[in-house]
Amino acid sequence: MKIGILYSRIRRDEKLLLGELRDRGHDVEKLDVRTLQFGLHGVSAGGVDVGDCDVVLDRCLATSRSLYATKFLQHYGVPVVNAPETAETCANKVKNSLALDAADVPTPATEVAFTSDAALEIIERFGYPCVLKPVIGSWGRLMAKIDTRSAAEAVLEHKETLGHYEHKVFYVQEFVEKPGRDVRVLACDGEPVAAMTRTSDHWLTNAAKGGETAAFDLDEEATELVEKASAAVGGGLLGVDLMEVGGAGSGEYTVHEVNHTVEFKALDGCVDVDVPAAVVDWLELKADVAAEAAAV
Amino acid sequence: MTEADCPECGSTVALHDDLEIGEILDCGTCGAELEVVDVSPPVLERAPELQEDWGE
Ligand SMILES: [Zn+2]
């Protein structure tokens, strides 16, 4: 098969995928988004013919690049995962929350306002602590846990004064008490590949923030939530973030968010499952399904 | 094992054999983030800065 990888950086994750694809004898087309140029017609992107790719996997880090590049590929009729619709929903916390709620997936109480005064009213109503997040962004960057009214006033003023216009959308979320860890699940179209917990004394437990990772066995409840959360954002290769709201092992969860350009190197290091192999199995399946659909 | 010079500090960076164009590496001496721009022979450049939203 010919498999395209859309990227701007080859991290350990992409390297694991490239290795697995080549081991299986696939023809890999590396598509560096920084050099590509997309026209309205045809299937050539800056001299690279993408039309004969059986499937393209989007591994762009920057959301705007993901969104536009995958839109063009879709326009050319090239099968692409994740779909731009999925990226669009996952990249934006407001859209993410709305999609989860619409699908009846438990998610933390969230409210949005557009001025600091209105945001302060939400924060006072939620009580302390609560969490202020940028609507776009990742790795836990610029997330603030607000403990007091004076902290709220300071952070809101900073956001209003220094922030990009996206920071004038104030996304306030309840602070979820969790057992010092959260659960990250990697799933392919809602089917869990593997899961891990990330534990930290810090309230942000992201692996990127130095949380400790360990394999986690999904119970029935979590498996079902992953499937629903994945469907809610349009499916694809996703990272679903859950928290055990009833305590560790309670089987009671809330889904914080679904991530669309998911990193899995930390997961691959702490579970028995061969994660890149599972992802490539799924990519092959996507290519087969797309080929069958095209043949009809 | 091959090697290349760090464009930032000039020290030698040891490289794996399965080097990949576009791969991001850290210089062990100065800590700079480097991008592999060529593999034969290996050439490193300073990696582009993070922009807007990156990853999960
Ligand atoms: Zn250096």
Side-chain angles (χ1 to χ4, degrees):
Chain A
M1 274 176 193
K2 188 168 175 187
I3 296 181
I5 302 279
L6 208 55
Y7 75 97
S8 50
R9 289 180 158 209
I10 303 289
R11 299 165 292 173
R12 178 101 190 101
D13 309 81
E14 285 73 37
K15 230 181 143 170
L16 288 168
L17 288 177
L18 290 169
E20 183 67 27
L21 287 166
R22 290 184 182 133
D23 282 352
R24 295 191 191 191
H26 292 304
D27 181 7
V28 180
E29 184 75 74
K30 281 167 70 182
L31 303 165
D32 182 345
V33 274
R34 295 170 300 180
T35 62
L36 299 182
Q37 294 142 23
F38 296 94
L40 297 180
H41 310 290
V43 290
S44 162
V48 184
D49 187 10
V50 289
D52 58 351
C53 285
D54 294 294
V55 66
V56 173
L57 176 67
D58 170 34
R59 294 295 301 173
C60 290
L61 285 158
T63 302
S64 55
R65 292 175 180 178
S66 264
L67 288 178
Y68 295 119
T70 55
K71 272 260 184 231
F72 275 102
L73 291 172
Q74 199 178 53
H75 181 70
Y76 302 155
V78 177
V80 59
V81 285
N82 292 335
E85 294 78 15
T86 297
E88 206 175 323
T89 305
C90 292
N92 182 302
K93 289 206 170 62
V94 171
K95 291 177 186 171
N96 211 314
S97 293
L98 289 172
L100 291 173
D101 191 65
D104 283 327
V105 175
T107 194
T110 301
E111 289 190 32
V112 169
F114 307 109
T115 62
S116 52
D117 284 350
L120 190 59
E121 278 181 37
I122 299 172
I123 292 170
E124 290 273 292
R125 192 164 4 96
F126 274 23
Y128 302 98
C130 66
V131 181
L132 201 59
K133 297 180 178 180
V135 278
I136 51 163
S138 53
W139 291 331
R141 279 176 298 113
L142 298 179
M143 306 226 309
K145 181 182 170 198
I146 310 283
D147 291 306
T148 62
R149 181 177 173 113
S150 52
E153 287 170 348
V155 173
L156 291 171
E157 190 191 348
H158 288 172
K159 278 173 77 81
E160 199 150 61
T161 310
L162 303 171
H164 178 258
Y165 73 93
E166 287 280 5
H167 291 288
K168 268 90 181 173
V169 180
F170 299 101
Y171 178 100
V172 185
Q173 197 162 60
E174 68 170 320
F175 179 74
V176 175
E177 288 295 345
K178 56 177 180 184
R181 67 182 199 183
D182 59 13
V183 180
R184 152 55 63 95
V185 186
L186 181 77
C188 291
D189 283 330
E191 180 88 32
V193 170
M196 67 177 184
T197 54
R198 295 179 295 193
T199 307
S200 168
D201 292 335
H202 195 271
W203 71 282
L204 288 171
T205 42
N206 303 36
K209 288 267 178 193
E212 240 176 76
T213 56
F216 180 75
D217 286 327
L218 292 169
D219 56 29
E220 210 175 301
E221 180 69 24
T223 306
E224 194 185 312
L225 282 179
V226 167
E227 196 186 331
K228 276 170 82 174
S230 169
V233 301
L237 175 64
L238 299 167
V240 181
D241 289 345
L242 308 146
M243 282 184 187
E244 300 155 290
V245 282
S250 63
E252 205 185 307
Y253 303 93
T254 184
V255 177
H256 266 70
E257 61 181 70
V258 183
N259 298 284
H260 73 287
T261 39
V262 57
E263 292 168 18
F264 50 79
K265 55 181 175 289
L267 181 67
D268 192 53
C270 72
V271 297
D272 293 332
V273 181
D274 185 338
V275 175
V279 172
V280 170
D281 284 345
W282 174 77
L283 273 178
E284 290 170 345
L285 184 74
K286 293 303 268 190
D288 282 343
V289 170
E292 268 171 44
V296 174
Chain B
M1 209 66 155
T2 51
E3 48 187 45
D5 292 337
C6 171
E8 198 66 14
C9 72
S11 65
T12 304
V13 183
L15 303 166
H16 297 286
D17 292 331
D18 63 343
L19 209 60
E20 194 80 56
I21 289 180
E23 188 174 347
I24 301 295
L25 305 167
D26 289 324
C27 169
T29 306
C30 71
E33 219 180 30
L34 306 172
E35 178 179 347
V36 178
V37 293
D38 209 339
V39 287
S40 54
V43 179
L44 304 174
E45 270 181 14
R46 199 174 164 73
E49 292 291 315
L50 296 182
Q51 290 170 41
E52 57 153 326
D53 176 39
W54 294 79
E56 66 189 74

